[in-house]
Amino acid sequence: MLASLFTLVAAAGVASAHFQIEYPTWRADSLTNASYSQYVFPCAGVPQDVANANRTDWPATGGSLSLDLHHPWTYVFINIGLGENVTNFNYSLTPSFWNETGSGVLCVPHLDLPVGLEPADGQKATIQVVTLGESGSALYNCADITFRTGDVANFGGANCTTDAAVSYTIIGEQTNGTSSSGSGTATTSGSGSSATTGSTTTGTNAGAASGVNKTVLMSVVALAVAFMYGMSA
Ligand SMILES: *[C@@H]1O[C@H](CO)[C@@H](O)[C@H](O)[C@H]1NC(C)=O
Ligand SMILES: *[C@@H]1O[C@H](CO)[C@@H](O)[C@H](O)[C@H]1NC(C)=O
Ligand SMILES: *[C@@H]1O[C@H](CO)[C@@H](O)[C@H](O)[C@H]1NC(C)=O
Ligand SMILES: *[C@@H]1O[C@H](CO)[C@@H](O)[C@H](O)[C@H]1NC(C)=O
Ligand SMILES: *[C@@H]1O[C@H](CO)[C@@H](O)[C@H](O)[C@H]1NC(C)=O
Ligand SMILES: *[C@@H]1O[C@H](CO)[C@@H](O)[C@H](O)[C@H]1NC(C)=O
Ligand SMILES: *[C@@H]1O[C@H](CO)[C@@H](O)[C@H](O)[C@H]1NC(C)=O
Ligand SMILES: *[C@@H]1O[C@H](CO)[C@@H](O)[C@H](O)[C@H]1NC(C)=O
Ligand SMILES: [Cu+2]
């Protein structure tokens, strides 16, 4: 079942393009090395002990992330797992996932850690970025980090810039269906280009996604969850 699901998804995907993590440094270049495939969970087939990998110091309160995306649009999920050789990416930095539009660099100056994740200085971890296309094909890349409570070279300044063609919206979590006013979906607009401020969101709770067929949205979420958690089992 797992194998057939995977084959189906791999076959449905676009063979080229994909994406890269520019910051923190990814574990290896999974774009150009034919030994790797971004279709492979959890880290594109790049083993933890691959040569020339770099582990980046990253603030223990959350830090910046820069991606280079090559598809017209994609859903983006960011997870963290603790340890040196992570197999369980059980913390989500995007409880409400992103819908990214445009081809180019997306730099987010500050990503908050989830409540309950308060890493100690020196705690090793791995950031996993999952993108999910319209067809349901997921792509994976990982970046290894060490959490630091002290001063960390901050990438959130002038170096964290987003290409003009790139933006993202935050697709609200499906909340309690019994709540009032049918607002199960909230949408927040974000653009990483306001690089010097800590926040990227300019949050209107406008129903920009209110026209979305929620059945479809739910299946996207279900599929993504299946990928991120089901396939790790
Ligand atoms: C890790 O850093 C070294 C030295 O800067 C560099 O040569 C190497 O390409 C880096 N590895 C990756 C995967 O970027
Ligand atoms: C490609 O990946 C393989 C397997 O990890 C590795 O042995 C090889 O050195 C990599 N090639 C380059 C150019 O990094
Ligand atoms: C990391 O964990 C995987 C899965 O348990 C294992 O196959 C691999 O050998 C481990 N790598 C290292 C460097 O410990
Ligand atoms: C996540 O997994 C780690 C071990 O991999 C565990 O120590 C931690 O308690 C887990 N956290 C949550 C919120 O599941
Ligand atoms: C995500 O963005 C793409 C391109 O703008 C759009 O076609 C798609 O419907 C959006 N998905 C959601 C759930 O808003
Ligand atoms: C930008 O990157 C350069 C080179 O890595 C570094 O020297 C500089 O401090 C960075 N600037 C900011 C504002 O992060
Ligand atoms: C959903 O809403 C109902 C009615 O207000 C409430 O009883 C229930 O606890 C809520 N469930 C969650 C998961 O919030
Ligand atoms: C939403 O999509 C589902 C499945 O494609 C379809 O059965 C349903 O009629 C659609 N609902 C609306 C309001 O378009
Ligand atoms: Cu691609």
Side-chain angles (χ1 to χ4, degrees), residues 20-137:
Q20 82 189 73
I21 305 177
E22 296 206 320
Y23 186 88
T25 311
W26 58 358
R27 189 177 289 175
D29 180 351
S30 62
L31 267 180
T32 57
N33 190 331
S35 301
Y36 306 131
S37 167
Q38 294 188 4
Y39 292 117
V40 176
F41 175 94
C43 294
V46 184
Q48 192 278 324
D49 56 354
V50 68
N52 300 320
N54 298 296
R55 193 175 279 280
T56 306
D57 284 346
W58 211 64
T61 51
S64 54
L65 178 83
S66 181
L67 305 175
D68 193 351
L69 299 142
H70 305 143
H71 291 186
W73 66 274
T74 189
Y75 300 119
V76 180
F77 303 77
I78 299 156
N79 305 311
I80 280 184
L82 300 181
E84 182 157 16
N85 183 14
V86 178
T87 52
N88 182 15
F89 294 86
N90 58 348
Y91 293 95
S92 173
L93 303 196
T94 51
S96 303
F97 64 94
W98 304 347
N99 189 2
E100 181 275 338
T101 304
S103 180
V105 174
L106 170 65
C107 190
V108 180
H110 185 89
L111 279 169
D112 285 330
L113 298 186
V115 173
L117 177 55
E118 291 168 5
D121 188 53
Q123 170 70 57
K124 291 177 179 170
T126 297
I127 295 175
Q128 178 198 48
V129 180
V130 184
T131 68
L132 187 66
E134 188 173 21
S135 64
S137 60

Side-chain angles (χ1 to χ4, degrees), residues 72-75 97-102 134 169-171 185 187 208-213 216-217 220:
W73 66 274
T74 189
Y75 300 119
F97 64 94
W98 304 347
N99 189 2
E100 181 275 338
T101 304
E134 188 173 21
T169 55
I170 298 173
I171 306 295
T185 305
T187 299
S210 62
V212 170
N213 185 325
V216 175
L217 190 55
V220 168

